[in-house]
Each structure stands twice: as C-alpha cells, then as structure tokens.
Amino acid sequence: MKQQLEKLLASALATLGDSLPAPPAAETVTVERSRDPRHGDFATNIALRLAKTARSNPRELAQRIIAALPANPLVQRTEIAGAGFINFFLSPAAYGQELAAIHAQAEHYGHSALGRGERVLLEFVSANPTGPLHVGHGRQAAYGATLANILSAVGFTVAREYYINDAGRQVDILAASVWVRYLQACGEPLPFPENGYRGEYVRPIAAQLRATEGESLRRPADRVLAGLPPDAPAGDKEVYIDALIARARELLGPETFAGVLERSLEQMLADIRGDLQQFGVHFDRWYSERELERSGAIERALQRLEREGRLYREQGATWFRATEFGDEKDRVVVRENGQKTYFASDIAYHLEKRERGFQRLIDVLGADHHGYVARVRAGLSAMGEPGESLEVILIQFVSLFRGGEKVPMGKREAQFVTLRQLRDEVGNDACRLFYLMRSHDQPLDFDLELAKSRTNENPVYYIQYAHARVASVLKQMTARGLQFDRTEGLASAALLTGTHEQAALACVTRFPEALEQAAVNRAPHTLVHYLRDLANALHTYYNAEQFLVEESKVRNARLALVTGMQQVLRNGLVLLGVSAPESM
C-alpha cells in the first residue's frame, strides 16, 4: 500500500512538473504510516519539502498535489493538515486487497526489488580458528545471517563469506599450545606457556594427535626448555612464546611442525563449522588467508599501490600513505624483516572482493575494530576503488546474566562461555532472537532465565505462541466440523470493521515496510520489534473476539485475517532463523 501511494504521489508531481523548478527524485517521494488513526492511514510532507523551490505556500502546493492525484479505489479521501501535510484515508477495500496479497504471495509476501540485484558480499563471524566460538561470536553470527536473509528478501544478491585467519602468529601459538599439551599427555613435566591457549578445548586436539602419532613427536622436557627465556611473571610472556615456537620448529622440523599446525586448524575449523551449522548459519565460501597469500593477491595489491605512488620506505619497512586518504596515520604494509602485515592482507582481500564483482562490501566485526574502517577504505581508494563501497558494522559486546548476577567471562583466562554451551542451555530459537532484540550498536545483556521462561515477558515465547495460537484455532474449527473458506473470507474482508480488526489489519500490512526498513538501516532488531507488535495485535484480537462464530462470512473473514497474520509471523521468523511452531 505504501508503494502504491508513493506511485500516486509521483504521478501527481509529474503532472505538476512544469510548475516545479526541480521535480523531486522518485526515491524522495515518500509516505509514512500515521501514528494517530485520526490523521489518516498514511501521510506525506512532500509539499513542505518542495514549497521553497516551488516558491509556493505549502498548503497551497498540497492542494495542487491532491488535485493532481489520479483516482484510485484504495484512497477514500485526503485532507491537508497543519502547515501542509497531506493525510491519506484508505478505503475499506484497501486492507482487503492487501490481505488477499498476503494469502496469494504466502512465503514471498513482503519481498521486494528494492536492492535491484546489487551484488553484496557479506563477511561475518570470521573468528580466529584458535578456539571455539564464544557468546560474542554468536551475536555476530545471528546478526550476519539475519541481515543476509533480509537483504536477499528485498532484492539484493547476497554472498555470505567467512574469512579464515589461518596465517600468522596466532596459529603458531595454537600449534605450540597443542604440542605442549601433547608432551604433557606423554608424561613430560612441561609448564604450560602463559601466553598459550589455555582452554580445555586444546586437550582433545592433543589427545587426537597422540592417538594418530603415538610418541613420535615426543621430545624431552629439558631439551624443549633448554635456553628459553623466562616466562611470565618473571619474564616476558610474548618473548617466551615466540622462543617456544622457534624451539618447536627446531626440534620437530619445519614440516612436522607445519603438520601439527594443520591438524590443529582442521579440528578447530571443524568445530566452528559444526557449531554454526547447528545454529542455522551457513556460508557460501570459507576464504583462507593463506589462500590469499598463495594466490599472489597481496603482492598484486602492493604492486598496485607502488604504481600509484602510495608507498614509501622508512627504517627498513614499507609504509602506505594512508593519511592522504583520511586515516589518522600511515600504515606499515611490509615489516623490516620482510613479513607482510595484517593490514596488507586486509586491503588485498577487499580489493579481491571488488575484483570478484561485488559492488557493496559489508563486514560485520567486533566492537574493538573501530579503527578498521578508515584504513581499509583508504586502501581501496588508493587502489582506485570506491572507498564508500565498504560498510563496516560493529557488533557490541554481550554480557550473560543468571538470576540477576553477571556471568564472569574472560577469554585469555579461558573463562568464556561458548556459543554451544549457550545454545544447549536456552535453545537455538532463544539464542537467535535474544541476540537480535537489541540494536547491534548497543551492548546486549542476555538474561538466561528469561530466555528459558514460558511467559509473555519472553519475546520468543510470545511471538511463537501467537503463531501456534492460530494453528490451535484451526484445529478447533476442524473439531467442530467447520471448514475455512478462504475465498469467501477474503471477499468478506469489508466486514472487518471492529477496532481490534482494524488495528490487526494495519499492523499485518506493515510487514513490507518493516522489512525494507530493516534492510536499509541494517537493523534486524526492528524486525523483531515489528513481530512483537504483530503478536500483540493477534493476542489482543484473540482475547477480544470469537473467531469461530455462526455467521460464515464473518467467521471466514476473521480466519482470513488471523491466518494472514500467522503467515506474516512465519515469514518474519524464517528471516530471523527462528522456528514457527504449530503448538506450544
């Protein structure tokens, strides 16, 4: 309905084109839902916005726009309000027509061509494969997967990608951590490094290594520790872990150490993949950082920057002139020892995304990546790509609460709660919806007890119960020997004149607008809020009216309305990755 009204307005403005110095672009001709039904169903401020350029009084211009509106059976009347707002009052047939569209389009209702097929690469989660996913990663996963669903529904062509940080020091630390646990399992009296990965998840990897390799990788503790610098707290834990990695390569040989690293990565990635699949989160591609290096993409990006004159040498390192493109400081791309930096990998990866034909690049990252946007955009701009093609969405932190008490978490101390533990406790549905209830740019307090409760205060239960309630009504109908005549119900939609019915119709037909708003603002939480409003409208209607009345036209009209609401609830829940049960 919103789109039809906007088309009517655009047509009226085109008719007035000669008298408007600068006809507005089609996308600026908008109507919005009225907050107060007394002010109509929809309203627009277009006359106020055009009055200055049209050199006209806003109310006078509003009158001319109304006079130029094509006749349409959806509009019962219009009125001018305030300084020049145009209010639209819809005819009874308008909501009936939209209700029929819900039934006709079913699972596709609400979908649109807003994105016009624009190719979007959505990268999300991309957690380092050095430990299991924790509750913070879970919020990124729920957000990214849902945003991808929403963007696809409104006409974008979306690819979902996970970038595997499988190169560099952190994976060397993982391999060294696994090897030390392996040696301890073999009986070697080795202390565990302070800067190693201390979580219990390392022990099963070490056990698997021992099961397949026996004691072939065993080296005496005194040989491992001989000459190593002191670890923390007496020494520097960073220096110690680097020395331990070097010792592991020396005693095992580079190829064998690489094999330990490879097996450790494989098991961690298998764990991460399995966790995400069980969470209903799927990717079109898992992109390896090592693959990026092997393909020559990093070197090609650096050569491109070199040709553009964007690199310089200082103190043995190679620097990118990032400040020329709005970054706060220049960035090292190649260190004094010849190693390429993470930043070099980042800009090469984003260049490669553009080379694959993606017009818009959306990165979903943790809140601690706030400095990331300017530097990567600078890199893209310096290589001749539009910096604004990159969007970075930062997901704020999650805190768990149980019985009003905050659950302690600290990743370095291996005190974190894993996504799998959270899913096991509250279930996938509660995880997905609770992660999405709040805007991504706000910290999230996750109430474990509320998530498990079967009360109206639990939004998961409240929304799902609304869906199941309609299924219950249909079962009651069958038990009473009645049948739902959808055709008669839709033809009788004009009978839905009660206050609760009108509120329900206004809410259920708002779904396409809610979906587009969630897509444009990258705000899945607004869809959650909409579904809660819709559930409330259904529960209120259910408590106020009998659906299975004797009069068939009234009965079927009401059933057409509530089954339409059920369909929209199901459509929304599917986008959120939440189930729509038939019974509770």
CSV table of all heavy atoms in Angstrom, one decimal, residues 404-425:
chain,number,residue,atom,x,y,z
A,404,GLY,N,19.9,-12.5,37.8
A,404,GLY,CA,20.4,-11.1,38.1
A,404,GLY,C,21.8,-10.9,38.3
A,404,GLY,O,22.3,-9.8,38.5
A,405,GLU,N,22.6,-12.0,38.3
A,405,GLU,CA,24.1,-11.9,38.5
A,405,GLU,C,24.8,-12.1,37.2
A,405,GLU,O,24.4,-13.0,36.4
A,405,GLU,CB,24.5,-13.0,39.5
A,405,GLU,CG,24.0,-12.9,40.9
A,405,GLU,CD,24.5,-11.7,41.6
A,405,GLU,OE1,25.7,-11.3,41.4
A,405,GLU,OE2,23.8,-11.0,42.4
A,406,LYS,N,25.8,-11.3,37.0
A,406,LYS,CA,26.5,-11.3,35.7
A,406,LYS,C,27.4,-12.5,35.7
A,406,LYS,O,28.1,-12.8,36.7
A,406,LYS,CB,27.4,-10.0,35.6
A,406,LYS,CG,28.0,-9.9,34.2
A,406,LYS,CD,28.7,-8.6,34.0
A,406,LYS,CE,29.3,-8.4,32.7
A,406,LYS,NZ,30.0,-7.1,32.5
A,407,VAL,N,27.4,-13.3,34.6
A,407,VAL,CA,28.3,-14.5,34.5
A,407,VAL,C,29.7,-14.0,34.1
A,407,VAL,O,29.9,-13.3,33.1
A,407,VAL,CB,27.8,-15.4,33.4
A,407,VAL,CG1,28.7,-16.6,33.2
A,407,VAL,CG2,26.3,-15.9,33.7
A,408,PRO,N,30.7,-14.3,34.9
A,408,PRO,CA,32.1,-13.9,34.6
A,408,PRO,C,32.6,-14.5,33.3
A,408,PRO,O,32.4,-15.7,33.1
A,408,PRO,CB,32.9,-14.3,35.8
A,408,PRO,CG,32.1,-15.5,36.4
A,408,PRO,CD,30.7,-15.2,36.1
A,409,MET,N,33.3,-13.7,32.5
A,409,MET,CA,33.9,-14.2,31.3
A,409,MET,C,35.2,-13.4,31.0
A,409,MET,O,35.3,-12.2,31.2
A,409,MET,CB,32.9,-13.9,30.1
A,409,MET,CG,31.7,-14.8,30.1
A,409,MET,SD,30.7,-14.7,28.5
A,409,MET,CE,30.0,-13.1,28.7
A,410,GLY,N,36.2,-14.2,30.6
A,410,GLY,CA,37.5,-13.6,30.2
A,410,GLY,C,38.2,-14.6,29.3
A,410,GLY,O,38.6,-15.7,29.7
A,411,LYS,N,38.3,-14.2,28.0
A,411,LYS,CA,38.8,-15.2,27.0
A,411,LYS,C,40.2,-15.6,27.3
A,411,LYS,O,40.6,-16.8,27.2
A,411,LYS,CB,38.7,-14.6,25.6
A,411,LYS,CG,39.0,-15.6,24.5
A,411,LYS,CD,38.8,-15.0,23.2
A,411,LYS,CE,39.1,-16.1,22.1
A,411,LYS,NZ,39.0,-15.5,20.7
A,412,ARG,N,41.1,-14.7,27.7
A,412,ARG,CA,42.5,-15.1,27.9
A,412,ARG,C,42.6,-16.1,29.0
A,412,ARG,O,43.5,-17.0,29.0
A,412,ARG,CB,43.3,-13.8,28.1
A,412,ARG,CG,44.8,-14.1,28.4
A,412,ARG,CD,45.5,-14.9,27.3
A,412,ARG,NE,45.6,-14.2,26.1
A,412,ARG,CZ,46.1,-14.7,25.0
A,412,ARG,NH1,46.5,-16.0,25.0
A,412,ARG,NH2,46.2,-14.0,23.9
A,413,GLU,N,41.8,-15.9,30.0
A,413,GLU,CA,41.8,-16.9,31.1
A,413,GLU,C,41.0,-18.1,30.9
A,413,GLU,O,40.8,-18.9,31.8
A,413,GLU,CB,41.3,-16.2,32.4
A,413,GLU,CG,42.1,-15.0,32.9
A,413,GLU,CD,41.9,-13.7,32.0
A,413,GLU,OE1,40.8,-13.6,31.4
A,413,GLU,OE2,42.8,-12.9,32.0
A,414,ALA,N,40.5,-18.2,29.6
A,414,ALA,CA,39.7,-19.4,29.2
A,414,ALA,C,38.4,-19.5,30.1
A,414,ALA,O,37.9,-20.6,30.3
A,414,ALA,CB,40.5,-20.7,29.3
A,415,GLN,N,37.9,-18.4,30.5
A,415,GLN,CA,36.7,-18.4,31.3
A,415,GLN,C,35.4,-18.0,30.5
A,415,GLN,O,34.4,-17.6,31.0
A,415,GLN,CB,36.8,-17.4,32.5
A,415,GLN,CG,37.5,-17.9,33.7
A,415,GLN,CD,37.3,-16.9,34.9
A,415,GLN,OE1,37.6,-15.8,34.7
A,415,GLN,NE2,36.9,-17.5,36.0
A,416,PHE,N,35.6,-18.1,29.2
A,416,PHE,CA,34.5,-17.6,28.3
A,416,PHE,C,33.4,-18.7,28.2
A,416,PHE,O,33.7,-19.9,28.4
A,416,PHE,CB,35.0,-17.3,26.9
A,416,PHE,CG,35.7,-18.4,26.2
A,416,PHE,CD1,35.1,-19.3,25.4
A,416,PHE,CD2,37.1,-18.4,26.3
A,416,PHE,CE1,35.8,-20.3,24.8
A,416,PHE,CE2,37.8,-19.4,25.6
A,416,PHE,CZ,37.2,-20.4,24.9
A,417,VAL,N,32.2,-18.3,27.9
A,417,VAL,CA,31.1,-19.2,27.7
A,417,VAL,C,31.0,-19.4,26.2
A,417,VAL,O,30.9,-18.5,25.4
A,417,VAL,CB,29.7,-18.7,28.3
A,417,VAL,CG1,28.6,-19.6,27.9
A,417,VAL,CG2,29.9,-18.5,29.8
A,418,THR,N,31.0,-20.7,25.7
A,418,THR,CA,30.9,-20.9,24.3
A,418,THR,C,29.5,-20.8,23.8
A,418,THR,O,28.5,-20.9,24.5
A,418,THR,CB,31.4,-22.3,24.0
A,418,THR,OG1,30.5,-23.3,24.5
A,418,THR,CG2,32.8,-22.6,24.5
A,419,LEU,N,29.4,-20.5,22.5
A,419,LEU,CA,28.1,-20.5,21.8
A,419,LEU,C,27.4,-21.8,22.0
A,419,LEU,O,26.2,-21.8,22.2
A,419,LEU,CB,28.3,-20.2,20.3
A,419,LEU,CG,27.1,-20.2,19.5
A,419,LEU,CD1,26.0,-19.2,19.9
A,419,LEU,CD2,27.4,-19.9,18.0
A,420,ARG,N,28.1,-22.9,21.9
A,420,ARG,CA,27.5,-24.2,22.0
A,420,ARG,C,26.9,-24.4,23.4
A,420,ARG,O,25.8,-24.9,23.6
A,420,ARG,CB,28.5,-25.3,21.8
A,420,ARG,CG,27.9,-26.7,21.8
A,420,ARG,CD,28.9,-27.8,21.3
A,420,ARG,NE,29.1,-27.6,19.9
A,420,ARG,CZ,30.3,-27.5,19.3
A,420,ARG,NH1,31.4,-27.5,20.1
A,420,ARG,NH2,30.5,-27.4,18.0
A,421,GLN,N,27.6,-23.9,24.5
A,421,GLN,CA,27.0,-24.0,25.8
A,421,GLN,C,25.8,-23.2,26.0
A,421,GLN,O,24.8,-23.6,26.6
A,421,GLN,CB,28.1,-23.5,26.8
A,421,GLN,CG,29.3,-24.5,27.0
A,421,GLN,CD,30.4,-23.9,27.8
A,421,GLN,OE1,30.6,-22.7,27.8
A,421,GLN,NE2,31.2,-24.7,28.5
A,422,LEU,N,25.8,-22.0,25.4
A,422,LEU,CA,24.6,-21.2,25.4
A,422,LEU,C,23.4,-21.8,24.7
A,422,LEU,O,22.3,-21.8,25.2
A,422,LEU,CB,24.9,-19.8,24.8
A,422,LEU,CG,23.8,-18.8,24.9
A,422,LEU,CD1,23.4,-18.5,26.3
A,422,LEU,CD2,24.2,-17.5,24.1
A,423,ARG,N,23.7,-22.3,23.5
A,423,ARG,CA,22.6,-23.0,22.7
A,423,ARG,C,22.1,-24.2,23.5
A,423,ARG,O,20.9,-24.4,23.5
A,423,ARG,CB,23.2,-23.4,21.3
A,423,ARG,CG,23.5,-22.3,20.4
A,423,ARG,CD,23.7,-22.7,19.0
A,423,ARG,NE,24.8,-23.7,18.8
A,423,ARG,CZ,24.7,-25.0,18.7
A,423,ARG,NH1,23.5,-25.5,18.6
A,423,ARG,NH2,25.7,-25.8,18.5
A,424,ASP,N,23.0,-25.0,24.1
A,424,ASP,CA,22.5,-26.1,24.8
A,424,ASP,C,21.6,-25.8,26.0
A,424,ASP,O,20.6,-26.5,26.3
A,424,ASP,CB,23.7,-26.9,25.4
A,424,ASP,CG,24.4,-27.7,24.3
A,424,ASP,OD1,23.9,-27.8,23.2
A,424,ASP,OD2,25.6,-28.1,24.5
A,425,GLU,N,21.8,-24.6,26.6
A,425,GLU,CA,21.1,-24.2,27.7
A,425,GLU,C,19.7,-23.6,27.4
A,425,GLU,O,18.7,-23.9,28.0
A,425,GLU,CB,21.8,-23.2,28.6
A,425,GLU,CG,21.0,-22.7,29.8
A,425,GLU,CD,21.9,-22.0,30.9
A,425,GLU,OE1,23.1,-22.0,30.7
A,425,GLU,OE2,21.3,-21.5,31.8
